[in-house]
Amino acid sequence: MKFARWIFIAALSMCATTAISPATIAAEPIGKITILYDAFGADPAMTKDWGFSALVEVAGKRILFDTGDNAEIFEKNVKAKGVDLTTLDFVVLSHRHADHMAGLSYVLSVNPKITIYAPKEGFGIYGSSLPSTFYRKDDSLPEEMRYYSGKPPKIMEFGTAWPTANFQLIDQTTEIMPGITLIALISDLPGTKELKELSLAVNTPDGVVLVVGCSHPGIERIVEAATVINPKIHLVAGGFHLVVATDDAIEKIVIALKDKFRVENIAPGHCTGEPTFAALKKAFGARYIYAGLGTSLVIGPDINSNVRRGEAPALDDFAVYRKLASRED
């Protein structure tokens, strides 16, 4: 009887798994996000620097999101956390700024064939192509004054800083595999106008886990795009690009994340800014998750088991903080 009951339960479990929408990843053992590069944190084995990188382990996939600002520092931090870059499923580079992609050279040195998703841009650093019809021509000019002597190729290929890398360029929001979507948006803000940026959205049974790089197109726009995948936003982690924002602008965005989009948990880092850390911590309370350098954040129903919250260390870390405070950096 016990054996028959076990078979019945197993059959129900299989049915429940196959009933999940293909756009949602199946329930998996608890995943995590490990912060490999940032300018704040309490892990003495890791080097703080301006930039961002995170290892996202979810749905049986190991995804490296951005690679920081310095290849040597990135390598050191990766080794300090014991991260094996040879077993990655793919890499996502959110945008072309150096503080998010400079560590790619180290990634390629240990995993040269890894697939790298990056924004598609004309004349972009990740490589691109355009039809030669994009420029005006003048047949009256002598051959030596004409591009390609007047006989351009149909498609003009443009180079990349990493010519041997396996780039997959993303031009629009794309579900790259079931339940895993790259949200592609373009910034319309002064200073970064027309900058393309990718954000990683994983549609879990608990809602969307959204990892952002710098949020140049606007964190509100990115979260809004994620609600199209699933209106339930379980976690938003990464940089919100509010490091120089005014208090009024910060307040508006905090209210939108909390009340309009009803984000369940927030784990800001990188360019979010210290005043925004404080405002989000006050607004989200126990649902504000500390995401300093070296931290591993739980993904899933046990997300509130993340021990570290706020910018201050746990009591057990006071010795570490005293040691760090004694150093010039």
Side-chain angles (χ1 to χ4, degrees), residues 96 119-135 147-148 156-161 169 194 196:
R96 65 175 181 252
K120 183 178 182 180
E121 298 182 312
F123 304 97
I125 192 170
Y126 309 119
S128 61
S129 62
L130 284 173
S132 59
T133 53
F134 89 91
Y135 70 89
Y147 301 129
Y148 301 96
M156 298 170 60
E157 302 286 346
F158 303 105
T160 168
L169 302 182
E194 298 185 355
K196 295 186 177 182

Side-chain angles (χ1 to χ4, degrees), residues 13-36:
S13 176
M14 290 177 64
C15 290
T17 300
T18 55
I20 293 175
S21 167
T24 304
I25 64 169
E28 294 276 349
I30 294 174
K32 64 181 178 179
I33 300 173
T34 301
I35 309 302
L36 297 175

Side-chain angles (χ1 to χ4, degrees), residues 235-303:
L235 171 67
V236 181
F240 297 176
H241 198 56
L242 298 169
V243 70
V244 297
T246 64
D247 289 344
D248 289 344
I250 292 170
E251 181 181 10
K252 177 186 173 185
I253 289 174
V254 170
I255 291 172
L257 294 175
K258 184 174 181 289
D259 298 332
K260 178 180 178 181
F261 298 111
R262 299 184 181 277
V263 173
E264 292 182 348
N265 301 278
I266 204 92
H270 184 42
C271 58
T272 301
E274 293 176 7
T276 313
F277 289 158
L280 287 167
K281 182 184 175 186
K282 181 178 179 181
F284 280 82
R287 296 182 293 117
Y288 179 98
I289 301 172
Y290 178 82
L293 178 63
T295 305
S296 289
L297 315 177
V298 170
I299 299 175
D302 294 330
I303 194 168

Side-chain angles (χ1 to χ4, degrees), residues 82-100:
V83 172
D84 184 0
L85 297 181
T86 66
T87 60
L88 294 173
D89 287 283
F90 57 89
V91 175
V92 177
L93 295 180
S94 62
H95 62 293
R96 65 175 181 252
H97 286 168
D99 57 333
H100 291 257

